[in-house]
Amino acid sequence: MPGDSQPIFYGVVASQLVTLVAYVVVTVGVGLLQVRANDLPLWRGQSADQRAATVPVYNDVFFKTQYIIPYPDDAAYQFQYQWWIVEFELFVFLLTAPCVLFPRFIERVRPMALTFLAAALVLVMDNINSVIFLRRSELAKAVFGEQRIEITLAGLLLVAIANFMTIISYGLYKEIPAEREAKDGTVWTAGVSQMSL
């Protein structure tokens, strides 16, 4: 059995499965928002005066989120903050997921993984706040589609839950020492104490 507690190891496995599902959902959600941003019907067929009147309203929707910078002239950058967290979470997942197959590396990877997860969790929580604002904005829902915003929000919430699960399970995980001799002469082998003769 990997580690000193089977339930904690199962927590490690479950956290990585939830992270995988969350990563897929948030990637699909942000991808759907990006596809919509790349082909906004908002700008088609507008005269220069109509566009001049529309751009400030569009910008205002994103400025109010405080984390999504509006790019009405270059849609490829519209959701760069969301893409950044998706890429950062992929990096963290690729760091932690192999430890499910090779649990002896958990203790070695843990300090680095928990540091990156803590940083990622802050970004995810900020991102959730931004997307919740989009969800409340009728204009944002009309422009990007309520379902796309909901999928992105669901993915971000799953990512936050998975991050919490990973932080807790990796934080509690303890490897069983292969063999360790205590000061009193007791030898520990695979977690079992044996008195030396």
Side-chain angles (χ1 to χ4, degrees):
M1 172 186 72
D4 66 345
S5 171
Q6 194 169 8
I8 291 174
F9 180 70
Y10 289 153
V12 168
V13 173
S15 72
Q16 296 310 293
L17 290 174
V18 172
T19 300
L20 178 61
V21 170
Y23 183 77
V24 169
V25 173
V26 77
T27 302
V28 168
V30 175
L32 288 171
L33 288 175
Q34 187 65 55
V35 165
R36 184 68 166 184
N38 290 345
D39 189 34
L40 278 177
L42 191 62
W43 312 128
R44 285 193 225 132
Q46 289 186 341
S47 67
D49 291 336
Q50 289 172 322
R51 183 171 171 85
T54 305
V55 168
V57 175
Y58 178 84
N59 289 346
D60 189 48
V61 168
F62 292 104
F63 278 132
K64 286 181 181 175
T65 68
Q66 299 178 5
Y67 297 102
I68 304 176
I69 299 169
Y71 289 94
D73 297 322
D74 197 353
Y77 297 113
Q78 186 58 67
F79 293 101
Q80 64 184 348
Y81 185 63
Q82 284 68 31
W83 282 119
W84 163 244
I85 192 59
V86 166
E87 292 164 8
F88 192 78
E89 282 289 338
L90 175 62
F91 162 71
V92 174
F93 178 69
L94 293 176
L95 182 68
T96 58
C99 293
V100 171
L101 300 175
F102 306 104
R104 68 181 180 274
F105 293 119
I106 290 176
E107 285 203 15
R108 184 174 298 263
V109 169
R110 178 178 34 217
M112 186 175 25
L114 291 179
T115 302
F116 288 133
L117 275 167
L121 189 57
V122 172
L123 296 173
V124 169
M125 299 304 262
D126 285 342
N127 226 322
I128 288 170
N129 187 43
S130 297
V131 176
I132 284 175
F133 179 82
L134 290 180
R135 185 174 166 236
R136 292 181 188 158
S137 167
E138 292 302 320
L139 180 59
K141 288 191 280 190
V143 171
F144 291 104
E146 187 172 1
Q147 187 177 20
R148 295 166 194 250
I149 294 169
E150 294 284 338
I151 292 170
T152 304
L153 183 58
L156 288 168
L157 289 170
L158 281 172
V159 167
I161 291 167
N163 282 359
F164 279 118
M165 289 174 64
T166 304
I167 288 169
I168 291 167
S169 61
Y170 270 63
L172 292 173
Y173 186 86
K174 179 76 175 145
E175 187 62 48
I176 300 172
E179 187 170 313
R180 181 180 69 208
E181 187 169 341
K183 291 180 184 176
D184 66 358
T186 303
V187 176
W188 290 82
T189 305
V192 179
S193 165
Q194 301 170 348
M195 293 302 289
S196 58
L197 299 174

